[in-house]
Amino acid sequence: MTTPLERHLGTIAGVTEMTSSSAVGNARISLQFELSRDIDGAARDVEAAIQGARVDLPTSLRSNPTYRKINPADAPVLILALTSDTLTGGQIYDSASTIMQQKLLQVQGIGDVTIGGGSLPAVRVELNPRALSNMESASRMFVPRSLRPMPTVRKGAAGEWPALPDLRQ
């Protein structure tokens, strides 16, 4: 996902270093510029490169890429811990990332807001392979390859994994 952006951002004059990291649903690209480069001019070039890369990005992208002018060497000024007696951890994380982070980023002088320590809700599906094997094409209809049964093994366990039934038939 970051390749089209990296290709366009790499053409900006004065870029001395580019690093990127990606996780599910999130990617971050950091650019470092020559010290002589005007930061406002660099920001305009970054914005233009993002717009130029937009046509090469997946159409399923939930939101347009954004940029921030920050100094990554700066230490955090404020660290908040959020707790609730009524909300789950996932609900707190969702509120922090969709409401609180967006509002804080609108405050003049704030360069970046990072949400950490929480997790988004996940779904774990456990299926009965024997019941599915009796259904015609069940594995292809209901179980994408990424969700096909995998054994649950303790971390650090050694040895062979148990044989899994072939649900593809």
Side-chain angles (χ1 to χ4, degrees):
M1 208 281 310
T2 60
T3 304
L5 283 169
E6 290 171 351
R7 196 174 318 119
H8 282 81
L9 292 169
T11 64
I12 297 174
V15 173
T16 59
E17 184 178 329
M18 181 186 319
T19 58
S20 65
S21 61
S22 299
V24 176
N26 186 23
R28 179 179 292 241
I29 300 173
S30 297
L31 301 175
Q32 185 173 334
F33 291 91
E34 296 171 346
L35 291 176
S36 61
R37 179 71 203 261
D38 173 56
I39 191 69
D40 294 321
R44 284 190 297 275
D45 290 347
V46 167
E47 188 171 5
I50 290 171
Q51 292 304 317
R54 188 67 181 111
V55 296
D56 299 327
L57 295 172
T59 56
S60 60
L61 202 61
R62 292 190 304 165
S63 60
N64 288 327
T66 59
Y67 73 95
R68 295 185 185 97
K69 296 186 295 185
I70 60 169
N71 181 351
D74 285 345
V77 175
L78 177 67
I79 298 174
L80 298 174
L82 304 176
T83 62
S84 174
D85 293 330
T86 57
L87 299 175
T88 66
Q91 290 170 320
I92 293 172
Y93 186 92
D94 185 50
S95 295
S97 63
T98 60
I99 300 169
M100 185 179 226
Q101 182 181 33
Q102 303 309 314
K103 295 287 185 185
L104 287 171
L105 286 170
Q106 294 174 7
V107 176
Q108 186 171 351
I110 292 184
D112 193 23
V113 176
T114 303
I115 306 296
S119 63
L120 294 172
V123 176
R124 181 180 182 122
V125 178
E126 292 189 26
L127 303 169
N128 181 337
R130 288 187 191 138
L132 282 176
S133 67
N134 295 330
M135 299 173 70
E136 185 178 329
S137 304
S139 66
R140 287 186 297 279
M141 289 174 27
F142 300 110
V143 188
R145 182 174 299 280
S146 62
L147 296 177
R148 299 244 166 100
M150 294 299 291
T152 302
V153 179
R154 291 187 320 265
K155 289 183 179 178
E160 293 186 28
W161 286 20
L164 297 174
D166 185 0
L167 297 178
R168 290 176 280 173
Q169 294 188 5

